[in-house]
Amino acid sequence: MEQNNDGNLSQVRHVVLVLSGKGGVGKSTITTELALALRHADKKVGILDIDLCGPSIPRMLNVGRTEVHQCDSGWVPVYTDAQKSLALMSIGFLLEDPDEAVVWRGPKKTALIGQFVSDVAWGELDVLLVDTPPGTSDEHMAVLENLKKHRVDGAILVTTPQAVSTGDVRREITFCKKTGVRILGIVENMSGFVCPHCSVSDPT
Amino acid sequence: MEQNNDGNLSQVRHVVLVLSGKGGVGKSTITTELALALRHADKKVGILDIDLCGPSIPRMLNVGRTEVHQCDSGWVPVYTDAQKSLALMSIGFLLEDPDEAVVWRGPKKTALIGQFVSDVAWGELDVLLVDTPPGTSDEHMAVLENLKKHRVDGAILVTTPQAVSTGDVRREITFCKKTGVRILGIVENMSGFVCPHCSVSDPT
């Protein structure tokens, strides 16, 4: 890691992307659970939410209306606790009205993600998790391009067992190969539903 | 409806968008079910799938590897049956390898959607359903811009009961208001799960 050229990411030890082709498979949930598990293991964790049209991270971590403050080195992330063990940045914190629609074309999204990567003063972090929108488009290219100088450790892919979802995850694998991102693992989420009434799992 | 300026859409009576802020809430499933129900009512139906990074429509309707042919007035849609009662167009039919990742920035997506709107020879249709990707971005703006000359009857919004999904649908409502698209209705999908073992629904 080049301590000098990385700016605000110079003290971030690992960067991991959470990807999925399909929406609604649990990317933000997995990102949140991963962050909480890492924090439980005494790691300092950050989550960068680059789903600009549907930011879920603020709600997942129950962080309500918060203002993002500025410091000398950029934007101060939002912390979930006084110990500052979990740092967050999401467009959800930048919108005045949480119901506001972000109707942005690619270039504007690319610009904000550039700022998110360079201008957030994360400080010292063991792991920075990047929660992404579904697909393989502007947001994904923008974050990889901006992280190029920094090392990306790899990506965790999330899918559900359905054919439409595994098809999308195959496209995501192609994306990782094309862009040279190492795949750390694939999570099969929602593999079954355990009935709270009779405790039988479906599919069994 | 201006019969003369609409080109390939001149014989399309109604255009309905299926939107949702969040992914994985069942947009493509609802689109497919709506199309099948309309066909059952003896309507001629078309589905335009503009989810370029995760096209689900070909798989939902079980249309495998198919080639899209050209005719004098443009691309011939893919029909699911010999009666040609259900016409489809999706990027899924244009990819050589179904696992291919469409790693496209906004302008390229906008261009293809422009072609999808103007160059598909739908012929006579009672309803054209437009299945969209999650969010409110390039694809949505592109399809509305290109359909401007033609009348868009409105949008059907799809959500699930979870807070992250209703939050996203609220953003989608803002998008519809901003862009002047009438909201025809909201479908709450996945409201409960009926256990196949004990037949009790959760939540009850």
Side-chain angles (χ1 to χ4, degrees), chain A residues 29-63:
Chain A
T29 309
I30 298 282
T31 307
T32 303
E33 285 173 358
L34 210 55
L36 295 176
L38 285 164
R39 184 173 69 166
H40 193 71
D42 287 327
K43 305 291 180 195
K44 273 183 164 294
V45 190
I47 300 180
L48 175 59
D49 178 7
I50 62 163
D51 191 344
L52 307 184
C53 292
S56 306
I57 291 297
R59 204 181 294 264
M60 294 269 173
L61 284 153
N62 212 8
V63 182

Side-chain angles (χ1 to χ4, degrees), chain B residues 74-100:
Chain B
W75 286 335
V76 181
V78 173
Y79 293 98
T80 57
D81 53 0
Q83 290 77 42
K84 298 193 172 182
S85 59
L86 184 48
L88 311 175
M89 185 49 70
S90 166
I91 197 172
F93 301 132
L94 303 176
L95 300 174
E96 279 197 24
D97 172 5
D99 297 342
E100 206 176 305

Side-chain angles (χ1 to χ4, degrees), chain A residues 5-79:
Chain A
N5 301 326
D6 279 359
N8 275 323
L9 291 173
S10 61
Q11 289 171 279
V12 174
R13 267 178 284 278
H14 299 287
V15 177
V16 174
L17 306 181
V18 181
L19 299 173
S20 86
K22 207 171 147 20
V25 299
K27 256 183 323 299
S28 301
T29 309
I30 298 282
T31 307
T32 303
E33 285 173 358
L34 210 55
L36 295 176
L38 285 164
R39 184 173 69 166
H40 193 71
D42 287 327
K43 305 291 180 195
K44 273 183 164 294
V45 190
I47 300 180
L48 175 59
D49 178 7
I50 62 163
D51 191 344
L52 307 184
C53 292
S56 306
I57 291 297
R59 204 181 294 264
M60 294 269 173
L61 284 153
N62 212 8
V63 182
R65 308 291 299 273
T66 320
E67 271 181 38
V68 170
H69 298 281
Q70 294 269 348
C71 67
D72 285 349
S73 44
W75 285 335
V76 182
V78 172
Y79 292 98

